[in-house]
Amino acid sequence: MSDTPEPSGPQASQEPSLDEQIAAYQREFRDLDPQVEKVVSALGRLNRRMNVAYGRQVADLGISNAEWEVLKTLVLSGAPYRLGPGELAKRLGLTPAAMTHRIDRMAGEGLVTRDRDENNRVRVIVELTDEGRQKWLEAMRMATAFEEELLQDLSAEERGSLGEMLIRLLRRVELTQPDAGGRLTDLD
Amino acid sequence: MSDTPEPSGPQASQEPSLDEQIAAYQREFRDLDPQVEKVVSALGRLNRRMNVAYGRQVADLGISNAEWEVLKTLVLSGAPYRLGPGELAKRLGLTPAAMTHRIDRMAGEGLVTRDRDENNRVRVIVELTDEGRQKWLEAMRMATAFEEELLQDLSAEERGSLGEMLIRLLRRVELTQPDAGGRLTDLD
DNA sequence: GCATCGAACTTTAGGATCGAAGTCTTCAGG
DNA sequence: CCTGAAGACTTCGATCCTAAAGTTCGATGC
């Protein structure tokens, strides 16, 4: 008795640091470029953390991250803030079925309205309500404050070059991944 | 008939370009720093695209992105590639309940085994099988090839400075967002 | 006009996740 | 020993998403 006191068991503890993680990968996979891996892993982690942060903030407004996405998309479409479910689904990377339900909820909460198009009754028009627009505005204020805080350690020059490099990566990924109607699912 | 031929309806078409998107936000929200927004939006989009790309690649191996996450976590833990469901859940940002089901599936597919700990029968040990390790290796090969391709337009110097800046952002977000046991849900 | 085709949404069935409520095991006392 | 408390999963019920099968309306051809 008392000869398995502890730490050989499956209990480690926390997410490893980025450097630890990269070192571990290198042990398991010889030809790994640590510089590349550093960029990629940092990107993934940063995004996860940011999404958690956004989610917390909009939750204080009583909306979910998913609902905020819809509000953003409608506002981006410009006044009068109207889009069809199909178009919304395409931009958000959801199936039309999921869009139907999400709009149901949001209409129930008064964030959007859902009406048949007068001129083409097979179409539906989703329109932002004033309340929805207000929520978007509040969320936007919180988001920009957070983003400003996030970037506080970077000079204007650094911000510029960071943005420029990210856009170059984005262009490259769009080139090599033609996005065949792509689902935007899952996270890293 | 034929007086509502078309394009005033809610049908626009595709995701706007980054610059269009930022311009639209500025119209709707005056005090927006375009430079900050550019960095943040590019980050979000880049990540979405990358996750779609990863998902496609591992799908060719017959596994889901979710399963690949588990494989990665087990490999990262080092030989003998064992972790408990609770620890896995914590590292992956899932609830223990979701972990139970995910392990079920993966055990059924032969990617992992699930056994009771001999020394402490309340614990469960999830261990990577050879097949699971093989899958991880193949996924890793595809992933690194993709990542190398993604970064091909950046010089070694640029890669370094990009990684360094991202890590600075990561540190900042970890400071301001203490990650209270955080769910890592949702995407942007 | 009327039947067919296609477009745009909705409904249905199944999978995955979360939060909360068990269940089983171990450990500390009495 | 037996009881109570805590830990580690698992089960349960509700939610949200996907894929596939409807529905409904509009456009075309005859």
Side-chain angles (χ1 to χ4, degrees):
Chain A
M1 56 317 309
S2 72
D3 125 313
T4 54
E6 33 71 39
S8 62
Q11 254 47 246
S13 70
Q14 278 298 49
E15 188 178 33
S17 81
L18 253 190
D19 287 334
E20 287 166 4
Q21 173 173 321
I22 292 173
Y25 273 140
Q26 283 191 290
R27 275 194 297 278
E28 303 291 336
F29 189 80
R30 291 314 180 81
D31 40 342
L32 182 76
D33 181 333
Q35 204 179 33
V36 170
E37 193 56 25
K38 197 161 192 161
V39 169
V40 171
S41 298
L43 262 175
R45 273 200 201 190
L46 181 57
N47 239 72
R48 282 204 317 259
R49 300 307 194 103
M50 286 175 64
N51 286 331
V52 172
Y54 285 129
R56 285 180 189 160
Q57 295 197 314
V58 298
D60 290 345
L61 297 177
I63 65 179
S64 69
N65 230 332
E67 289 172 328
W68 188 36
E69 296 295 326
V70 177
L71 298 182
K72 279 198 286 191
T73 306
L74 282 171
V75 169
L76 272 180
S77 75
Y81 312 119
R82 290 181 192 161
L83 287 174
E87 181 61 23
L88 274 170
K90 203 173 354 173
R91 298 202 193 184
L92 291 173
L94 296 177
T95 59
M99 210 58 239
T100 293
H101 297 311
R102 202 182 273 194
I103 292 167
D104 276 350
R105 269 173 278 145
M106 293 181 70
E109 296 165 344
L111 298 172
V112 301
T113 59
R114 171 218 240 113
D115 291 296
R116 292 254 157 218
D117 184 332
E118 289 303 322
N119 301 322
N120 186 336
R121 303 192 35 71
V122 85
R123 286 190 175 159
V124 169
I125 299 179
V126 178
E127 179 171 341
L128 199 60
T129 62
D130 285 348
E131 183 185 346
R133 194 169 186 295
Q134 205 53 41
K135 288 281 189 191
W136 172 80
L137 200 63
E138 291 172 40
M140 198 67 181
R141 276 198 277 265
M142 300 199 314
T144 53
F146 165 63
E147 291 160 1
E148 188 56 60
E149 197 182 343
L150 180 68
L151 294 192
Q152 68 183 281
D153 301 327
L154 270 58
S155 69
E157 245 177 35
E158 287 176 317
R159 294 176 189 195
S161 98
L162 175 58
E164 188 275 326
M165 284 193 276
L166 290 175
I167 284 169
R168 246 191 291 163
L169 295 187
L170 192 54
R171 236 190 315 270
R172 173 59 60 186
V173 82
E174 284 172 348
L175 261 180
T176 58
Q177 299 283 328
D179 191 15
R183 283 295 70 76
L184 305 178
T185 40
D186 240 327
L187 46 150
D188 176 20
Chain B
M1 62 310 307
S2 72
D3 128 309
T4 54
E6 34 69 41
S8 63
Q11 254 47 245
S13 70
Q14 278 296 50
E15 188 177 34
S17 81
L18 252 191
D19 287 335
E20 286 166 3
Q21 174 172 321
I22 292 173
Y25 273 141
Q26 283 192 290
R27 274 194 298 278
E28 303 290 336
F29 189 81
R30 292 314 180 80
D31 41 341
L32 182 77
D33 182 334
Q35 203 179 34
V36 170
E37 193 56 27
K38 197 161 192 160
V39 169
V40 171
S41 298
L43 262 176
R45 273 200 201 189
L46 181 56
N47 239 73
R48 283 205 315 259
R49 300 306 194 104
M50 287 175 66
N51 286 331
V52 171
Y54 286 129
R56 284 181 188 158
Q57 295 197 313
V58 298
D60 290 345
L61 297 177
I63 65 178
S64 68
N65 229 333
E67 290 171 328
W68 187 36
E69 295 296 327
V70 176
L71 297 183
K72 281 198 286 191
T73 306
L74 282 170
V75 169
L76 272 180
S77 77
Y81 312 119
R82 289 180 192 163
L83 287 174
E87 182 61 23
L88 274 169
K90 202 173 356 174
R91 298 202 192 185
L92 291 172
L94 297 176
T95 58
M99 209 59 239
T100 293
H101 297 309
R102 203 182 272 191
I103 292 167
D104 275 350
R105 268 174 278 145
M106 294 182 68
E109 295 165 344
L111 298 172
V112 301
T113 58
R114 171 218 240 113
D115 292 296
R116 292 253 156 220
D117 185 332
E118 290 303 324
N119 301 322
N120 185 339
R121 302 191 35 69
V122 84
R123 286 188 175 161
V124 170
I125 299 179
V126 178
E127 178 170 343
L128 199 59
T129 62
D130 284 348
E131 182 186 346
R133 194 168 187 296
Q134 205 52 42
K135 289 280 187 189
W136 172 81
L137 200 64
E138 293 171 38
M140 198 68 182
R141 276 198 278 262
M142 300 200 313
T144 54
F146 165 64
E147 291 161 0
E148 189 56 60
E149 198 183 343
L150 180 68
L151 294 191
Q152 67 183 280
D153 301 326
L154 270 57
S155 69
E157 245 178 36
E158 288 175 317
R159 295 176 189 196
S161 98
L162 175 57
E164 188 275 326
M165 285 193 276
L166 290 175
I167 285 169
R168 247 192 290 164
L169 295 187
L170 192 54
R171 236 192 313 270
R172 174 57 62 184
V173 80
E174 283 172 347
L175 261 179
T176 58
Q177 299 284 327
D179 191 16
R183 284 297 68 76
L184 306 178
T185 41
D186 238 328
L187 46 150
D188 177 19

